Amino acid sequence: MYSFSSRARYSEVDEAGNLNLVSMMNYLQDCCLFHADSLGVGPDYQKSHHCLWVVTGWQIMIDQYPKMFEPIIVETIPYQFSGYLGWRNVLIRDGQGKCLVRANSSWVYLSTDTWKPVRPEKAEIDAYGTEGRIQMEYAPRKIKLPENMADSGCIPVTGYLIDTNHHVNNLKYIELGRSLIDDNFPVKELRAEYKKQAKPGDIFYPKTGRLAGWNYVSMENESGKPYFVMALK
């Protein structure tokens, strides 16, 4: 397990003074990257080996949003590796250790020469190690979209959305998707599935829908193939 401590900053909270959704996910993502870097298998190592871990899915269950200036502890637990795939939990606790946010994430190891999955070296997997996964209700990896999703215009992929891996950052999808639906409700559970990398020059044709208390967003290309699918409850 790896952990780091922080505080919910003013720049990260919403109008109610709670840590906003995207800032929360930044903590989850950063914890995973900090962990890799602390083991010597972070971005520099991956760049020298022409490989990188890419997130393919998130399931996040929010019991309570951290408040502005509240001390928080973010921790991550890798619990399984299989072939070129990996899974890890990430948690956010308050200063007394109470669990506020529980997350499950899935990852794929890619060659940056071919952008195809490859097996990581045994030394890298051994560096992470594994522990038992946390207790939570684990959702299926695939998100089933409702029928009759509504078109929501188009969004060009610009440099603002691109990260150091030269594709749209996974949290930018969340930010865009959240802006397309009614944002007045507090999200208690999020599921995200990343299907295809988007790069500058691509165009998103988003669709939105609602079913049984869930809000859905699908970011698609002009042929209807999704780059990204999200469900919020």
Side-chain angles (χ1 to χ4, degrees), residues 149-217:
M149 297 270 284
D151 292 332
S152 297
C154 65
I155 303 172
V157 175
T158 63
Y160 162 74
L161 303 172
I162 305 302
D163 63 17
T164 58
N165 296 321
H166 312 296
H167 60 204
V168 175
N169 181 268
N170 78 87
L171 298 186
K172 293 299 184 184
Y173 286 105
I174 304 295
E175 186 177 315
L176 290 175
R178 189 76 170 101
S179 71
L180 293 171
I181 57 179
D182 174 18
D183 62 359
N184 291 324
F185 66 92
V187 175
K188 300 301 291 181
E189 186 169 355
L190 176 148
R191 293 177 61 201
E193 183 183 351
Y194 302 88
K195 294 176 171 286
K196 175 180 168 59
Q197 295 183 65
K199 299 182 179 181
D202 291 339
I203 298 177
F204 292 140
Y205 295 87
K207 293 182 179 180
T208 59
R210 184 175 171 84
L211 180 67
W214 285 85
N215 291 270
Y216 295 86
V217 176

